[in-house]
Amino acid sequence: MTGQEAHRPAGRLRPALIDALKATLVAFGLFVVMVGVRTDVAPTGALFLRTRWPEVALLCGLVFALRLAMGLWRRPQLSPDGAARLAGTLSTAGVFFGPALLAVALILPLIPGIGRYELDLGILVLTYVMLGWGLNIVVGLAGLLDLGYVAFYAVGAYSYALLAQYFGLSFWLCLPLAGILAAFWGVLLGFPVLRLRGDYLAIVTLAFGEIIRIVLLNWVSLTGGPNGISGIPRPTFFGLPFSMGGEPGSFAGFFGIEPSPSHRVIFLYYLILCLALLTNWVAIRIRRQPIGRAWEALREDEVACRALGINITNTKLTAFALGAMFAGFAGAFFATRQAFISPESFTFIESAIILAIVVLGGLGSQIGIAVAAIVMIGGFELFRDLQEYRMLVFGAAMVAIMVMRPRGLVGTRAPSILLGGPRRIEGHHVSEGRG
């Protein structure tokens, strides 16, 4: 087969069919166990196997069709001028997209028709946006693959809960303390992994996350074990509690308004929005500093980074500490919002979701991570009516994003230091050390 024939649809049909059949066979082996056979409870209380072969056939057919379409599809090749124009258009759109997204976030509670459910979803999305921006410092800027990021999230949550219950400290005093304690644990994690990289680093950070979870689960006298900690104090508005009684010392009584449960929810929404914006501002500012440029040099080539005289120890420890600090802030907010925490809230799946947000959004891209958090967390709610199939749909959507945008939703970024006019760098150049 010549090169021209390989690019024709007829020349690509046979390899695409073979590849689609292989993918379908693999999918069949998975779906038989996951979907085709299921245990159910009979009216008599006995267990029996219920088969669902039509659903298996439908899913296998979808896998075959999608894999065949992927094999036949070829991304259109743009000329250099066309690619430059497209990059310019996307860059111009990105300049306005970020402020527009921020404006929507600021006025969301004021939009007519926005209720408690929408605000709770917004709080959840902003929490993951903040966590994604914090992890982006470690993974996206410093290039350190961290699979145990949820451990610092848990440290922040339990720090606030214990300090508030045992010492009676307010949320505003516990918030910086939770971040400092999480940063301390980030430094402790950094020391054992100074000589590790790649897969070995990922395994150690994963183990660290599991160690923290197991300690929380078994240290019953301090953490409550599997029962968790309940009755965590709520935050106040500069000392004014959100009480439904409307007494003079409450938020509603001080401002002379009708007490409403939405006041506390709106306050929590703007609180996490401010914390997320603080994380974004610090990450952008510190990226332009010498330590930020050292992180990016470490990400591109650690050996060359050492040859340049950069202190690798300090560079790695500062990345772990700063990323962990913002996770601690988010954990303290999570504890005060839920008023209850347990080890079940800090499992490995949380680290996987946060890492997926960073990767899908684009390593090193602040706006891309925000969009990925909206798509992943908000989109997951859209699939809630699909019940048990929503995870399949959600996973298929993630695979489609990575196939269409392998460098993430935002694969370009602006250089930290500019020589001459402003320009943008494509994601594939960053991975090759040209960023």
Side-chain angles (χ1 to χ4, degrees):
M1 184 181 295
T2 64
Q4 293 181 350
E5 291 176 347
H7 287 81
R8 295 174 184 172
R12 298 196 305 265
L13 181 58
R14 183 181 178 187
L17 282 173
I18 295 175
D19 184 63
L21 287 173
K22 291 180 180 179
T24 305
L25 287 176
V26 174
F28 177 77
L30 293 174
F31 291 144
V32 164
V33 180
M34 298 172 59
V35 180
V37 180
R38 180 177 177 179
T39 58
D40 253 333
V41 181
T44 59
L47 291 177
F48 72 98
L49 289 178
R50 181 163 61 92
T51 58
R52 297 182 292 182
W53 302 122
E55 288 86 346
V56 173
L58 176 61
L59 292 173
C60 290
L62 287 174
V63 170
F64 178 81
L66 292 174
R67 191 64 184 179
L68 181 62
M70 288 174 53
L72 296 176
W73 179 71
R74 287 291 182 269
R75 182 173 298 178
Q77 298 293 329
L78 297 177
S79 63
D81 293 337
R85 287 194 299 270
L86 179 60
T89 303
L90 294 176
S91 178
T92 304
V95 171
F96 297 100
F97 181 75
L101 195 63
L102 176 59
V104 172
L106 288 173
I107 66 173
L108 181 64
L110 308 177
I111 298 176
I114 297 297
R116 174 69 179 268
Y117 173 77
E118 290 79 11
L119 288 177
D120 284 336
L121 182 58
I123 292 172
L124 183 63
V125 169
L126 286 172
T127 303
Y128 278 95
V129 168
M130 182 179 178
L131 290 169
W133 282 339
L135 183 60
N136 187 49
I137 295 174
V138 183
V139 178
L141 298 184
L144 304 171
L145 184 56
D146 188 356
L147 294 181
Y149 193 68
V150 72
F152 310 120
Y153 187 38
V155 168
Y158 273 88
S159 297
Y160 168 68
L162 295 174
L163 288 173
Q165 284 200 343
Y166 286 96
F167 297 98
L169 300 180
S170 67
F171 171 78
W172 303 107
L173 289 176
C174 292
L175 181 65
L177 292 177
I180 292 172
L181 289 173
F184 172 73
W185 282 99
V187 173
L188 288 183
L189 171 63
F191 276 111
V193 301
L194 287 176
R195 297 183 180 275
L196 300 178
R197 66 182 71 176
D199 300 337
Y200 303 99
L201 174 63
I203 292 172
V204 173
T205 55
L206 172 62
F208 178 78
E210 285 301 301
I211 288 172
I212 293 295
R213 188 184 65 84
I214 292 174
V215 169
L216 296 177
L217 195 62
N218 290 278
W219 198 349
V220 180
S221 60
L222 180 67
T223 66
N227 296 325
I229 301 176
S230 59
I232 301 174
R234 301 282 192 177
T236 60
F237 183 80
F238 299 101
L240 300 175
F242 294 91
S243 174
M244 293 301 298
E247 56 270 9
S250 65
F251 176 83
F254 181 83
F255 289 99
I257 57 178
E258 187 71 21
S260 173
S262 63
H263 292 162
R264 183 179 61 83
V265 180
I266 294 174
F267 171 71
L268 289 174
Y269 173 83
Y270 281 114
L271 176 59
I272 187 59
L273 178 60
C274 291
L275 291 175
L277 292 178
L278 174 64
T279 305
N280 183 44
W281 180 79
V282 171
I284 292 176
R285 293 286 297 177
I286 205 169
R287 183 174 177 174
R288 301 191 181 107
Q289 303 302 316
I291 185 61
R293 300 199 295 275
W295 288 341
E296 293 183 321
L298 175 68
R299 177 193 66 200
E300 299 300 334
D301 195 324
E302 183 174 338
V303 176
C305 192
R306 290 180 184 273
L308 290 173
I310 296 176
N311 191 319
I312 299 297
T313 300
N314 292 344
T315 304
K316 288 185 177 182
L317 292 181
T318 51
F320 275 116
L322 195 62
M325 182 182 69
F326 291 118
F329 291 157
F333 172 82
F334 174 79
T336 193
R337 177 205 171 201
Q338 297 293 116
F340 169 77
I341 54 174
S342 69
E344 296 301 320
S345 301
F346 309 104
T347 57
F348 167 71
I349 190 63
E350 293 295 321
S351 290
I353 291 174
I354 301 168
L355 182 62
I357 289 173
V358 175
V359 175
L360 290 177
L363 295 176
S365 172
Q366 299 292 97
I367 187 66
I369 291 173
V371 174
I374 295 173
V375 171
M376 287 190 62
I377 306 303
F380 190 76
E381 290 297 318
L382 296 178
F383 300 141
R384 186 170 293 277
D385 292 339
L386 297 178
Q387 297 178 359
E388 60 189 24
Y389 293 103
R390 63 176 177 167
M391 291 301 294
L392 292 175
V393 176
F394 186 63
M398 291 178 61
V399 170
I401 292 176
M402 294 311 297
V403 169
M404 301 293 294
R405 301 285 299 177
R407 302 288 174 179
L409 295 175
V410 180
T412 60
R413 67 174 180 85
S416 301
I417 301 298
L418 293 175
L419 297 177
R423 60 192 178 94
R424 301 188 70 81
I425 296 178
E426 294 295 330
H428 63 278
H429 290 310
V430 175
S431 65
E432 295 170 3
R434 301 176 186 172

